[in-house]
Amino acid sequence: MTARAGIIWTTLLILAGIFSLAFIFFTLFPGQVPDAAWQYFSPVEVERARRYQQIMRLVSILAFLAKTAFLVWLVYSARAAYWSDGVLRLTGGRYYPALVIYFGLIWLLLKVVGLPFNFYGSFIVQHQWGFATQNLASWWADYLKSSFLDLILSGAGVILLFWVTGRWPHTWWAAAGLFLSGWLFVSTFLWPLLVAPLFNRFQPVTEGPVKTMVTQLAGRAGLKVKEILVMDASRRTTKANAYFTGLGATKRIVLYDTLLANYPPDEVEAVVAHEMAHWQRGHIVRGLLWGILANFLLLGLLYAVLKLTFTYEIARPGPYPPHLLVAMLLFLQLVSFLGQPVQNAISRRYETEADQVALELTGNPRAMIKLQVDLTRKNLGDVAPPPFIEWLTSSHPSPLDRIQASEKWGQDDNPRYSRGQ
Ligand SMILES: [Zn+2]
């Protein structure tokens, strides 16, 4: 490892450590919520939601730290290289079988490290707080299904990645970026058709009032929304939500059945309008383009760092030795953790825009405010997370920000405020 590589790795680790400590500090001591929140929530509600969020935040940061510590240990103890040599001996020096076994081993160990946190956060805590509706067998079925999918897809990705390192030793990162960009488009297109149905059932909305509301909103938004799908989210959780997904012909708005069952029509309308706003403003494609830019940047940086760190291994002909996989995973883990503020700032901008467009479509700020209050109460959302936590991890503006933006929209002399016309 060159001195410069040492500085880069140390800087990344120190920054991730500082971010993690600050995250833990503000999780344990979140401070006061702004006074404006008391207009919509009682102290008991805020306290209860904060306790729930505290637990979920601790689980997520501890899972990150455990996985990172494991990767750091593999790299710095030289176990990563030692195991890779062992696997190569096992396969009689045959590269690709060794790579596959090595990847499988690291993947499995990372799964083992992450499992307790995953199980605690998505099963135990969800039951303790009364959100979960699925039993243990069904949780394991989900876990095994999604793990298998991850194993196959990331395994294929790793084989392709190491193959390109042998094919184009100095420009593989650009080739990998191109493959990854293509894959992002294909997977966004196919996800709703192939992956989502593995976990849930989707039914088009057929009943009268919701269907009529959707048609009217789509007309106002100038969109050809053929159907809205309802997902059987209630098989896992009592929480309500909705999302917009897909690309081209697979674009769709999905509502949780828990939303339709437990929220009044004007709030459902606000949700649908928000999702249509994402559609109308092309947020998925814009998000994909940001993702592609980030991928090229990340892969280019990865190449530069690997070249400084493993100068000797990389100079040899042929694909990179399997043990570089661990350093790659560590680098991507650290950089994507540190890059969260950028990614989330972009996401929050889109969400703010979607709320504004939704208000123009419904002309009903009261319903939007009621929706935010209801969602926050029932899902135990943090009405106003500590600024550092919001900056690092929030993909959406805080409920209080969304409520205040709707209040402001309602008060402004808004020329487009023309409900029913
Ligand atoms: Zn949204």
Side-chain angles (χ1 to χ4, degrees), residues 103-152:
F103 161 75
L105 177 71
I106 302 296
W107 180 89
L108 190 67
L109 290 172
L110 279 171
K111 272 299 205 193
V112 171
V113 171
L115 181 59
F117 303 99
N118 192 338
F119 181 71
Y120 185 71
S122 69
F123 189 80
I124 307 255
V125 178
Q126 297 306 310
H127 274 275
Q128 282 170 343
W129 289 79
F131 287 127
T133 54
Q134 72 178 154
N135 60 26
L136 193 58
S138 148
W139 186 88
W140 274 108
D142 277 353
Y143 179 78
L144 292 176
K145 244 191 295 187
S146 62
S147 299
F148 181 71
L149 203 65
D150 178 51
L151 177 66
I152 299 301

Side-chain angles (χ1 to χ4, degrees), residues 242 274-275 278 350-351 354-355 396 402:
H274 173 95
E275 302 306 333
H278 281 309
Y350 288 168
E351 295 301 336
D355 276 353
H396 288 62
R402 300 178 79 175

